[in-house]
């Protein structure tokens, strides 16, 4: 989708999400190596270390604070809760090969690349160091935990347009969450709901970017 009055040919840059677009995020896969009992694993992820709890980190709260609060409620799970932060990068799989190829092609075509990611300011540096080659083509990456704003808050898209030097309608925004795409479209991005590399490739070709 695209904002009213914006022609596809005006799009000249791409703004990517990171998790579950460029790399898979799989807390369950990681914690399955630490919690072999499936029922206990289900309970831990559904009621203790939930994605809603983790969203606090994306918004800028320190892990020391959130983990202390959670351990106070579930002291027996302290080692597992601490592992969330201490080994967070292990929850993230390697780059998706098809997406790595798309990034390489866009970079070779000199398409400006940016990213907006909901990611903890503490967890981002080790991940970025691990994936330095993947992230190298990006001109700038807006990390929610550093800004203290998460998608789909309208403020993060406004900040991105300013920081990236983009005008409304100039960039395609790619994200796997519909609410994030909708928020970006309201802010003036052309939205693409990520459902795999091939549909994205088709969309990029439609905009003349590939």
């Amino acid at each position: 989708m695209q904002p009213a009055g914006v022609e596809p040919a005006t799009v000249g840059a791409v703004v990517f999400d990171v998790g579950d677009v460029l790399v898979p995020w799989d807390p369950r896969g990681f914690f399955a190596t630490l919690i072999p009992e499936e029922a206990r694993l289900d309970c831990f992820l559904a009621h203790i270390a939930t994605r809603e709890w983790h969203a606090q980190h994306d918004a800028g709260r320190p892990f020391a604070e959130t983990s202390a609060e959670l351990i106070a409620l579930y002291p027996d799970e302290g080692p597992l809760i601490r592992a969330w932060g201490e080994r967070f990068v292990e929850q993230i799989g390697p780059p998706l090969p098809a997406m790595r190829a798309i990034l390489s092609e866009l970079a070779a075509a000199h398409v400006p690349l940016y990213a907006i990611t909901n990611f903890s300011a503490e967890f981002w540096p080790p991940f970025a160091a691990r994936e330095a080659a993947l992230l190298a083509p990006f001109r700038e990456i807006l990390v929610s935990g550093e800004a203290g704003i998460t998608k789909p808050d309208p403020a993060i898209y406004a900040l991105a347009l300013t920081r990236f030097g983009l005008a409304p309608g100039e960039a395609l925004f790619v994200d796997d969450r519909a609410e994030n795409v909708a928020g970006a479209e309201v802010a003036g991005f052309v939205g693409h709901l990520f459902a795999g590399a091939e549909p994205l490739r088709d969309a990029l070709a439609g905009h003349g970017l590939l």
Side-chain angles (χ1 to χ4, degrees):
M1 295 180 65
Q2 61 195 54
V6 175
E7 296 296 330
T10 65
V11 175
V14 185
V15 180
F16 284 92
D17 179 28
V18 176
D20 290 328
V21 172
L22 303 181
V23 292
W25 179 38
D26 183 18
R28 186 179 186 87
F30 168 70
F31 279 99
T33 66
L34 304 178
I35 309 173
E37 305 87 353
E38 189 164 356
R40 186 182 172 212
L41 175 63
D42 290 342
C43 180
F44 180 76
L45 294 175
H47 302 293
I48 302 174
T50 65
R51 292 191 179 218
E52 291 75 20
W53 168 74
H54 173 70
Q56 298 177 90
H57 310 133
D58 292 345
R61 283 202 72 197
F63 180 73
E65 292 181 6
T66 64
S67 59
E69 292 170 354
L70 202 58
I71 291 169
L73 295 173
Y74 304 98
D76 292 344
E77 304 293 0
L80 291 173
I81 293 168
R82 283 188 286 271
W84 184 285
E86 293 168 357
R87 302 176 62 183
F88 182 78
V89 173
E90 295 178 55
Q91 298 182 30
I92 303 173
L96 301 171
M99 292 303 296
R100 187 192 289 274
I102 285 175
L103 287 182
S104 295
E105 291 175 43
L106 289 170
H110 305 290
V111 175
L113 301 177
Y114 305 92
I116 308 172
T117 181
N118 282 355
F119 215 111
S120 160
E122 296 174 274
F123 302 163
W124 177 257
F127 168 75
R130 191 192 82 178
E131 298 299 343
L134 175 73
L135 302 177
F138 288 89
R139 296 188 178 189
E140 189 164 356
I141 298 174
L142 177 53
V143 178
S144 67
E146 296 174 351
I149 318 166
T150 59
K151 297 176 291 185
D153 188 321
I156 198 167
Y157 303 111
L159 177 61
L161 288 173
T162 299
R163 186 174 292 184
F164 300 162
L166 297 170
E170 286 186 344
L172 183 71
F173 176 77
V174 181
D175 198 292
D176 65 302
R177 299 183 66 90
E179 65 269 28
N180 293 345
V181 174
E185 289 174 340
V186 171
F189 289 93
V190 178
H192 176 84
L193 182 60
F194 183 74
E198 289 312 307
L200 174 59
R201 181 178 287 279
D202 291 342
L204 292 167
H207 289 291
L209 298 173
L210 282 182

